[in-house]
Amino acid sequence: MHPDLVLTNARLLDPGSGAFLPHDTLTLSGGRIAGFGPDGGRGSGAEVVDLDGAVVVPGLVDGHLHPVSGAERTAGADLSGCTDLAAVRSELAAARRELKDGQWLRGWGLDPNAFGGLPVSADSVGPVLDGIPAAIDLFDAHSMLVSRRALELAGIDGPRRFDQGSAEVVCDDSGRPTGLLLEDAACELVEAIAPRPSFEELCRATADVLRRMAAAGLTGGHAMDANGDSLAVYAALEERGQLPLRLRIAPWVQPGAGPAELAELVRRQGEGGRRWQVAGAKLFMDGTIDNGTAWLELPDCHGESTGAFWPDPAAYTRVIGELHRAGVATATHAIGDAAVRHVLDAVELALAEHGPGARHRVEHVETVPDDTVARFAALGVTASMQPTHCTDYTRADHTDNWSRRLGEERANRAFRCRDLAEAGARVVLGSDWPIAPFEPLGVMAGARHRRPSRDLQQPPHLPGQALSPLRALAGYTLAPAWAAGEETRAGRLAPGFRADLTVLARDPLTVPDTELARVPVLMTVLGGEVTHRAV
C-alpha cells in the first residue's frame, strides 16, 4: 500500500520502556502504522511532515468520559471555579439576568465545599433562585440542586422511593424537600420536565467538545454512558465527518434489569460505526462520598454511606456473572471500600463459575484497604482512576467535605494510584469529563504532582500515591488498550498498529511535573487522518 502520511525528524517514544525507538520516521498507510524508514514515503505522493524533533506517542485515550451528556450538561452557568457561596451567588445572578421569561436557569460544576458549614440546599444559595425554575448539577454529576419553583413544576413535595438504593429526595426534619436530589433516579424527576436541547443543538455542542478534545491530544475515549440520543449523535457526527475521536461506549445496566434487558445489551455489542462502537456495560455499585451515597464498610462521619446502589447486591453479582458468561466486559462505578470489595467478589465468582473471558474494571476506586488493593492484579481487574478528582476536589490538610466525611484513616488510604500499580494492577487514567477537565496532559500531570491544578504552589495530596511519568503515560496508552482488549493493535508505535498518534513539543517523561499540562500538542492523528495540527 502507498503511504498516506509520513512523519519525519520525529522522536518516537515507546510507552512500555520509556525509551525512544531507533528511528526518526514513521510511515502511515491505510489507517495503520506501515513501518519506519529513513526515506519514508518521499516520491510516493504521501504528505510528508517534518516534525523538527517533536515527540510522537501512541494516541492518548481517556479511560472515562461522557461526551454527549457532558456537552448537554455544560451548556449552563459554569460554577466549577466558585470556591465560596458569594461566588456561586454572583455567577447565578449573572446567569439569571440573561434569562428570558419562563426560561430555566441551568448550571454545572457546583462544588459542595463552596457551602462551607451550610447545608447544600436551595435556601443556602439565597434568593437568587427564588421564583424561577433552576437545576444546577453538582460537580460529581450524581446530584442536583433545584429551586423551589422547579420542585413545584416536577410535583416533588416530599420523599420518594426509588429502585436505586442510594437515590433520594433530600428533605428537612418536617419532610419538606430542600432542593437537593441525590443520584440519577431522583434527578430525573426534574430532568423529565426541564427543557432539553434539540438534536441539532446537541450535535453541534458535542462536535465542539470533541474538536477541543482532539486539539488537547486525545484520539479516543471510553464513553461511560449511552444515555438519551448519544448513539444517534455519534452516528450523525461520523456521517458528517465530525467525529475526531475513537469512542468505545458502555451502556448502563440499572438495578432491576431483567433477562430481556440483558439479552438486548448483549445483542447490541459491536453496534456502531467506523469510529464508535458499543462495547461493554456500565454499572453502579454506589454513589459518591461527598453526597453520603457511597457504600462504605463503616458509616461516614455523618452516619451515612451505608448502602449499595443496588438494593439487592446479590442481584448485581448475578448480572456480572451473566454478562461475563456472555463475554461482555463490565465497568462498575465503585468509590467506597464496601462497593469495591463487592465488585471484586462478584468478578471472582464469575471467573470461578465461567472461567476467563471478558475483562472487567472498577471505576474511581477512591478509598480501599490494603487487602483490596492486592486483589486487582490477581483477578485481572483494571483500576480506572481519575487523579484530578483527588487533587482538585480534596485538600492536602483534609479540611474538604470529602475528607471530613471519611475521617483521617480512610482519607489517608485514598486514590491509591501508585499502590495499585505497584501491586501489579493495570491503572487506566481518565478525566470523567465533565466532572473534571478533559485535557490528558493535565490529568497525567495531576497523577504525578498530586497538586490542585488551579494552584500548583499548594502542598501535594497524598504524595506517596504519585505515579511516575512512565506509569502516567501508560495510563493513557497501554492500559486503556489492554482494558479494551486491543493491546495487539493499539497503545504502541509498531507496524500494523492503528495510526492513532499524539505529537508533543516536549518529552512528556522528562518535562517537570508542574510544566507537563502546558506542553503544546502539535498534532493529533486518528487512523492516519490529522484531526488537529499546530505545526
Side-chain angles (χ1 to χ4, degrees), residues 153 186 212 249 427 453:
L153 291 172
R212 290 187 284 119
I249 303 151
V427 178
S453 58

Side-chain angles (χ1 to χ4, degrees), residues 345-372:
D345 288 346
V347 172
E348 185 171 38
L349 182 61
L351 290 168
E353 291 183 344
H354 305 297
R359 294 175 180 176
H360 305 283
R361 45 195 280 178
V362 181
E363 306 299 315
H364 310 309
V365 199
E366 291 189 5
T367 179
V368 289
D370 291 344
D371 65 323
T372 301

Side-chain angles (χ1 to χ4, degrees), residues 124-181:
S124 295
V125 172
V128 69
L129 299 182
D130 288 353
I132 61 168
I136 301 161
D137 290 311
L138 271 73
F139 82 91
D140 62 5
H142 281 252
S143 48
M144 178 184 288
L145 184 62
V146 302
S147 66
R148 298 290 178 196
R149 179 58 177 155
L151 290 170
E152 179 184 341
L153 291 172
I156 303 172
D157 56 8
R160 299 282 183 93
R161 293 183 63 85
F162 301 99
D163 288 338
Q164 297 172 1
S166 48
E168 181 182 358
V169 174
V170 176
C171 297
D172 61 21
D173 292 341
S174 66
R176 178 173 177 250
T178 67
L180 180 61
L181 307 175

